[in-house]
Amino acid sequence: MRQVLIGGSLVLALTLGAGSTPAEEPEGASPLRLYHVGALTMGRSDFLPRVLGLVRPDMVSDEQHPLFGAAGGEPLLPVGTADEIVELLRYQVDPGSWESVAGAFVRAMGGATLLVRQQPEALVGVGQAIRRMEDRWLRPITLDVVAVRLPPTLGGTPSATELEALATAEASGPSITLTVFPTQRVTAFSGRQIAYLVDYDVEVAQKAKISDPIVGVLNAGLGVSARASVSEAGDRVRVDLNAELVELLRMDSVAAGDGRTLDVPVVGTTVTRTSAELTTGAWTLLEGSGARAEGGGVVFLARARLGSRNAGAPSPGLSLPVLESAGMAKLNDRAFSISLLTQPVHSRMGAPLDIMPSNFTPPEPPELPEPMGAVASESLLEIMRQAIAPEAWGARGGSTEVRSDTLYVRAPETALLAVERMLAALEHALLWAVDIEGRLVEVAADSPVLAGPLLPPEAEAALAKALGDGSALLLERVRVSSLAGQRNNVAALEQRTYVADFEVEIAEDAVISNPVVQILRSGIVLDVRPQITSARDSVVISVGLNRSVPFQTPRLVKTVVGDMQCPDMRLHELRTDVEIPFGRTAVAGAFGAQGGRRTVLLLTPRLTRPAR
């Protein structure tokens, strides 16, 4: 919708809709525009991987080595804060004009939007500069890592053809695919989480003793943690990559005296921590292979594929109404509700699905973003006073103030009408929401879905056909909505109680064991935080996926104080960021097991509920 109202000295131009053409500005005027930069300033968390292998209750879980994964400290800002982007724009776009053009300015309005008043040709430069920043830092990289066993017939230096055959063979080992942004550290895990009886603590009093069973956790499977950077030409990708494969070879038991038995898991571990330069599109054999008596040696193959962003014109910005003068008309009073703009939006975090060892205290959860409204009341007042009849306030008796989410204005009728339209324009620009549909599907290893992060129409058609004929399976389907950059989550879970442990107490001549009943959760938790790009045609989503399903029925373990249950769960975990055009579907990550099938997380965002 576009409205232009001209009456006396009143000039209002309101352009609504993403990518719409700006209103024609009067010659010599300095239009007022709003630009979204949240996709650059939302911050990219450095995600830390979980500890694989045997996790004992006495192991320390700290910020550098979280036992079950976490987000790192301060998020990475590739271009800086909104204020730093302001400085870049003043330097890159017609530097001399910001001081010479009357009324010209560029300033941050919160952490995700910029307010710019400039000549039309300079505004074009602002949109182009923001687009260049997005094209550089939102360039998608698809990273594939697969664990394979090298056949004895393979030569010392495998050829590219031999590596391709190894990586894509049905007999290849577990694999993980990640969609990542430049310089961000991301992580994924695919495997099993198994509880086991690791030890006993013995409590002794004067005439009594009792053994307290201690439960540990085994994280077995493939874990990948990686950071990637792209060469200017896009032909090479530098990766700092940690890959670890932990295999449960068998679960032994041993007698520990006094009728006690302990679980003794036997695991095979292969780890590589390397920095490597990958030729885009080609498989590379990474360092670090292990040769064990059981199962043979395992090596890791990695491949980086470079995607491209959606082609599109730079954002023209969203036009806001400007009133140069309200004249000498009678002053009127009016109150405007601004609660939609100023009401804080709270973020929420998804629940963990991990099995915890005995006596383990989970660390404090990371701090969520501070609840904030779409615009601060102080910023709103500043916009009104600068863009709408600046001479009307103060000396001529006009006034604006905010009390209890209400804007009180005393001004001529033309200025009141301009305020009304300004509020409508800000609601349209700032009160967006994103609905994200997440699907977890199981497909064949050669499915066209896995060709790249963004599904082309033919891949979507092939997926629909495969789901229809049963060659692909829909495992989970959830939908989560997020308002204006809010972190939110959806959980679809089945819960049941189980006897996880025992707490024992002892006195002089008496003992007692108290069963510890825990809740075992299975299902999916999808945690998202979206930010729209400057053109409002795509969204950057910070993604957290947890999916846990029973691998087998919880194992019944007999202890000297009673029977307890040790769950064995299949776990998929993913932490990354991805950009997706609205209405399109993209692969955020994929997990493969031996046998040629892949479990793929597909995300489809839609821009919803724009302000009226």
Side-chain angles (χ1 to χ4, degrees), residues 417-559:
L417 179 59
V419 169
E420 180 181 348
R421 295 195 179 276
M422 173 66 80
L423 292 175
L426 290 174
E427 287 182 2
H428 169 78
L430 300 175
L431 298 184
W432 52 272
V434 175
D435 282 348
I436 300 169
E437 180 184 72
R439 288 179 294 166
L440 209 60
V441 298
E442 184 183 283
V443 299
D446 60 353
S447 170
V449 168
L450 297 167
L454 193 62
L455 268 62
E458 54 270 23
E460 297 202 38
L463 176 62
K465 181 177 182 298
L467 289 171
D469 63 25
S471 57
L473 300 176
L474 179 62
L475 305 176
E476 306 278 0
R477 187 172 191 163
V478 293
R479 185 187 299 270
V480 57
S481 181
S482 177
L483 178 63
Q486 166 199 33
R487 180 175 176 178
N488 207 0
N489 69 87
V490 64
L493 302 173
E494 179 182 282
Q495 302 183 76
R496 67 171 179 172
T497 58
Y498 70 105
V499 179
D501 201 353
F502 287 90
E503 290 181 350
V504 301
E505 297 181 19
I506 189 168
E508 289 187 10
D509 55 359
V511 297
I512 188 171
S513 60
N514 183 32
V516 177
V517 178
Q518 299 281 18
I519 298 176
L520 184 64
R521 298 178 177 89
S522 61
I524 185 172
V525 176
L526 182 62
D527 192 308
V528 299
R529 184 186 175 197
Q531 276 290 354
I532 57 176
T533 55
S534 60
R536 300 212 306 178
D537 58 358
S538 65
V539 61
V540 173
I541 307 171
S542 183
V543 184
L545 168 73
N546 286 316
R547 183 177 187 252
S548 180
V549 295
F551 184 81
Q552 59 186 17
T553 303
R555 189 166 51 95
L556 191 66
V557 176
K558 295 185 178 297
T559 76

